[in-house]
Amino acid sequence: MFDMADTPWLTIIGLGEDGAAGLSVAAKAALAEADLVTGAARHLALLPDLKSEVMPWPVPFDAGIPRLLEHRGRQVAMLVSGDPFWFGAGTSVTRHLAPTEWVAYPAPSTFSLAAARLGWPLEDTACLGLHAAPLSRLRRHLAPDRRALVLLRDGEAVAKLACYLDDLGFGASHLHILEALGGPRDRIREATAATLAFDDIAHPVAIGIAFAGDGTVLPRTAGLPDAWFEHDGQITKRPVRALTLSALAPKPGETLWDIGAGSGSIGIEWLLSHPSTNAIAFEADPVRADRIRNNAAALGIDRLQVVEGRAPGALADQAIPDAVFIGGGLSDAMLDALWKALPAGTRLVANAVTLESEALLAGWHAAKGGTLMRIELSDAAPLGTRRGWRASYPVVQWSVVS
């Protein structure tokens, strides 16, 4: 009898453009023993001599997972591109399975094939899968003399990538267009982003980008210049933002609540700190909420959830945070609601500018502890024919662990 607890029923097989010729002995044996083989039509076409039952994988991809799970208990082979667990289909499937239900036989990934053809070190090259992700994910990687390997959907997406780079001042970037690597249709062509004119780019396609140009490079430190954000004045200014992010102390995998988000600068920089972080921006003003979304998109951030509503009511039923920042709407009722609702160990940071909100934070500091800091900044400004210091409103910051 077949025992699903001990015997894998699913074999995930990485397939290259060379079809059966590139498969390992173990992968070939799994195909020979399979009751059912499933995969995209392109993958199935690379193995025309299959003897088992064949089930084409549907579009969109997620629609095929329930169909696959219906075949638990049979010997199933699933064909995917290259390495299933590097921007591949593997994780999308195995998250629904126990570890004992599947085995995988990866083939060289497109990234590996591309690096081998170009002579680029993978450990020093950004690798991104942008089949269904915005091109703006490239934004943080745009810097002269840096490199990236990017997987794209088709030739139209390649043209859009070239325009994206050109529009941001990186039109001089050298593009290697790598089509159907490792198979009989293998082809590599070159152009700059500004001059790309190919209209016959074949799928699957990867692009090797050697960035060049005089576009603006996104700094990697906390406290981006304010000019990176559209705002109506409701923004935590750069020096205070840097201190605020230091107090919030983002760590990989953590979630932030950015309450009264304004321009979204705190939440966006939290997300820029590490690709596994998450953030929810709460903003009552719909115009500002749209501006937050635009700011996030411009900086290549697509993990920011924007909730239009006023805290504390809007906080209900949201993912539990590891840290909370209050930039707007500070009140005794909000602090009281947060203190009662947040789990122990949550980091809370609140900034105050008015005398009333300063007094509020001073009272909570006296009752709950933490750190209370007064931030006073001055900029040099013209003073008659000379210069003097122009003071900004001081900011009082309370940071505490619940």
Side-chain angles (χ1 to χ4, degrees):
M1 173 181 278
F2 182 82
D3 187 350
M4 288 189 294
D6 300 320
T7 305
W9 61 272
L10 176 66
T11 303
I12 303 172
I13 298 174
L15 189 65
E17 289 296 302
D18 53 354
L23 293 177
S24 67
V25 173
K28 290 178 179 178
L31 282 173
E33 297 168 3
D35 301 319
L36 173 70
V37 177
T38 184
R42 180 175 69 84
H43 295 138
L44 293 171
L46 292 170
L47 299 175
D49 299 324
L50 292 170
K51 306 302 182 185
S52 61
E53 179 185 348
V54 170
M55 182 177 73
W57 197 275
V59 177
F61 181 86
D62 286 349
I65 295 176
R67 291 176 57 184
L68 175 69
L69 298 180
E70 291 175 0
H71 294 278
R72 265 192 173 109
R74 303 181 69 188
Q75 287 294 322
V76 180
M78 177 183 179
L79 304 176
V80 299
S81 295
D83 187 339
F85 297 96
W86 198 359
F87 294 105
T91 306
S92 298
V93 172
T94 57
R95 67 165 59 104
H96 300 278
L97 305 175
T100 55
E101 291 187 80
W102 58 273
V103 293
Y105 300 119
S109 69
T110 301
F111 296 119
S112 295
L113 294 173
R117 297 293 289 274
L118 300 177
W120 290 4
L122 278 176
E123 71 273 12
D124 195 38
T125 302
C127 296
L128 295 93
L130 300 182
H131 299 93
L135 293 175
S136 56
R137 283 195 182 178
L138 266 175
R139 188 65 186 90
R140 71 183 68 186
H141 301 286
L142 302 186
D145 301 322
R146 304 305 300 166
R147 294 167 174 165
L149 290 170
V150 180
L151 309 183
L152 294 173
R153 183 181 62 256
D154 52 26
E156 182 181 353
V158 177
K160 290 179 179 178
L161 169 66
C163 291
Y164 176 75
L165 294 172
D166 196 26
D167 289 345
L168 289 174
F170 291 90
S173 297
H174 194 84
L175 306 184
H176 302 265
I177 298 91
L178 308 137
E179 302 163 73
L181 285 179
R185 298 183 298 123
D186 186 310
R187 180 169 62 176
I188 300 178
R189 292 179 287 178
E190 300 180 17
T192 66
T195 62
L196 180 77
F198 303 126
D199 60 2
D200 60 344
I201 296 173
H203 174 79
V205 59
I207 307 296
I209 311 171
F211 296 113
D214 55 5
T216 305
V217 176
L218 180 66
R220 287 302 187 96
T221 57
L224 293 177
D226 296 347
W228 283 94
F229 303 96
E230 293 183 13
H231 61 90
D232 57 5
Q234 187 71 18
I235 183 173
T236 303
K237 299 297 193 296
R238 180 183 61 82
V240 177
R241 192 180 334 118
L243 290 169
T244 300
L245 286 160
S246 176
L248 288 168
K251 301 179 182 67
E254 290 192 328
T255 296
L256 171 74
W257 282 359
D258 183 1
I259 299 175
S263 67
S265 61
I266 292 290
I268 290 170
E269 290 214 43
W270 170 280
L271 293 172
L272 285 170
S273 70
H274 196 272
S276 69
T277 51
N278 297 285
I280 306 174
F282 299 91
E283 177 53 57
D285 186 329
V287 174
R288 287 176 176 166
D290 282 340
R291 190 178 291 121
I292 292 169
R293 297 185 185 97
N294 292 337
N295 283 334
L299 292 174
I301 294 297
D302 54 5
R303 308 188 312 281
L304 181 61
Q305 178 184 348
V306 180
V307 175
E308 294 186 31
R310 192 175 302 280
L315 307 177
D317 301 322
Q318 301 297 336
I320 299 300
D322 301 281
V324 175
F325 172 63
I326 306 175
L330 181 64
S331 68
D332 190 65
M334 179 181 296
L335 287 171
D336 186 62
L338 285 170
W339 200 263
K340 291 177 179 177
L342 294 176
T346 305
R347 304 187 297 281
L348 174 65
V349 178
N351 290 349
V353 177
T354 67
L355 292 173
E356 292 79 6
S357 56
E358 283 187 20
L360 176 64
L361 292 187
W364 275 83
H365 173 253
K368 304 297 184 182
T371 300
L372 194 66
M373 178 170 62
R374 182 180 173 91
I375 305 166
E376 298 189 68
L377 299 168
S378 298
D379 295 309
L383 185 62
T385 59
R386 297 176 181 271
R387 292 174 300 152
W389 293 110
R390 180 178 57 196
S392 302
Y393 283 113
V395 175
V396 170
Q397 182 180 96
W398 180 47
S399 57
V400 67
V401 177
S402 66

